[in-house]
Amino acid sequence: MGAASDGGGLTGRPPVRIFLLDDHEVVRRGLRDLLAAEPDMTVVGDAADARQALARAPALRPHVAVLDVRLGSSGDGGDHEGIGVCRELRVALPGLACLILTSFDDDEALFDAIMAGAAGYVLKQIRGSDLVTAVRTVATGQSMLDPGATARVLARVRGPDAPSGPPELARLSPRERQILDLVGEGLTNRQIAERLYLAEKTVKNRVSTILTKLKVRRRIQAAVIAERARGREEPPPGFRQLRTP
């Protein structure tokens, strides 16, 4: 599948360079055919997973990256791996516009997308012509974040469920805060996974991310932060017996 020509687009300017990330080959093929058919767009590359995307995209210098939220390694649907790719690609390519593509209307994913600096967030149920418009919109530096959905997320952040306590907690997403609270209760990764209906591996990865965001190395330190947010200075009895990662 060759990319579209790099000739001038509809406006005479170079075409928008697009990179695709989706773990389903048929979806990547469909997106490539749809977008490369536009005279002002060219698909410069694609990837099936986060590792491939982070290895390939920077060298291809895309203007827009269309990123699936949930990739194959997150079989339980709990992770937003595509949003992590967005965050890392924007560090490598500050001018890149990331358009997050998802099958689910998920406020948590939207929150994570906003925090990662995504320029747009659209559902896979979108019509092809509307997706083309979305790519053109974010390529010009505009936002494709739905105002209503964004308002819900901001209300959640500012409301009574917003992170409280030590300022480090503000770095956590709502799901990460939920997991941290359960860590603070002394639950193991397996117990947290059962409570939240996630894979144990997903919880382990999330806990590692939480430790990084809180700038601590040990699970017990994260638990202390969680408990201080509840107004206690020490973790609950029994927690000290748990192994730290």
Side-chain angles (χ1 to χ4, degrees):
M1 295 177 294
S5 168
D6 279 335
L10 292 173
T11 62
R13 294 193 293 265
V16 177
R17 297 170 59 83
I18 304 166
F19 186 87
L20 308 174
L21 169 62
D22 196 289
D23 58 325
H24 294 99
E25 181 184 5
V26 67
V27 174
R28 296 197 305 277
R29 284 175 177 262
L31 289 172
R32 178 182 285 272
D33 290 347
L34 172 70
L35 299 173
E38 298 297 318
D40 58 337
M41 297 182 183
T42 180
V43 177
V44 296
D46 60 49
D49 57 40
R51 180 186 57 79
Q52 291 178 357
L54 295 174
R56 297 174 183 174
L60 295 171
R61 313 297 296 181
H63 303 125
V64 176
V66 180
L67 309 173
D68 187 16
V69 168
R70 290 169 171 152
L71 304 175
S73 61
S74 320
D76 59 279
D79 280 346
H80 301 145
E81 195 173 359
I83 294 174
V85 173
C86 168
R87 186 178 296 109
E88 293 195 43
L89 286 182
R90 281 184 48 78
V91 171
L93 302 168
L96 177 68
C98 292
L99 183 62
I100 303 298
L101 193 61
T102 179
S103 300
F104 306 95
D105 188 5
D106 180 346
D107 280 358
E108 183 190 346
L110 176 57
F111 174 89
D112 288 348
I114 290 172
M115 298 305 292
Y121 182 96
V122 296
L123 298 179
K124 285 186 176 179
Q125 294 89 328
I126 192 173
R127 294 187 305 175
S129 59
D130 291 336
L131 180 59
V132 169
T133 298
V135 171
R136 289 196 181 110
T137 298
V138 299
T140 62
Q142 301 178 67
S143 173
M144 273 297 297
L145 293 169
D146 175 71
T150 304
R152 293 200 310 271
V153 170
L154 294 178
R156 182 176 180 178
V157 172
R158 296 167 183 156
D161 294 330
S164 59
E168 294 91 344
L169 293 176
R171 302 189 182 103
L172 304 185
S173 72
R175 174 65 96 184
E176 289 167 347
R177 179 62 191 273
Q178 186 180 26
I179 290 174
L180 177 61
D181 286 342
L182 295 177
V183 168
E185 291 179 19
L187 273 64
T188 65
N189 287 347
R190 177 172 295 181
Q191 290 169 330
I192 294 172
E194 291 173 352
R195 179 81 63 89
L196 300 180
Y197 303 100
L198 298 174
E200 187 175 351
K201 180 180 178 181
T202 294
V203 174
K204 180 179 179 181
N205 291 339
R206 286 294 185 108
V207 169
S208 294
T209 299
I210 290 167
L211 298 183
T212 298
K213 288 186 176 182
L214 295 180
K215 298 182 179 180
V216 297
R217 293 186 176 183
R218 296 183 178 277
R219 191 184 184 98
I220 188 67
Q221 293 171 306
V224 169
I225 291 175
E227 292 308 303
R228 283 178 177 171
R230 294 191 178 105
R232 291 189 284 180
E233 289 297 320
E234 296 294 337
F239 188 90
R240 300 185 186 89
Q241 307 305 318
L242 297 178
R243 288 194 309 168
T244 57

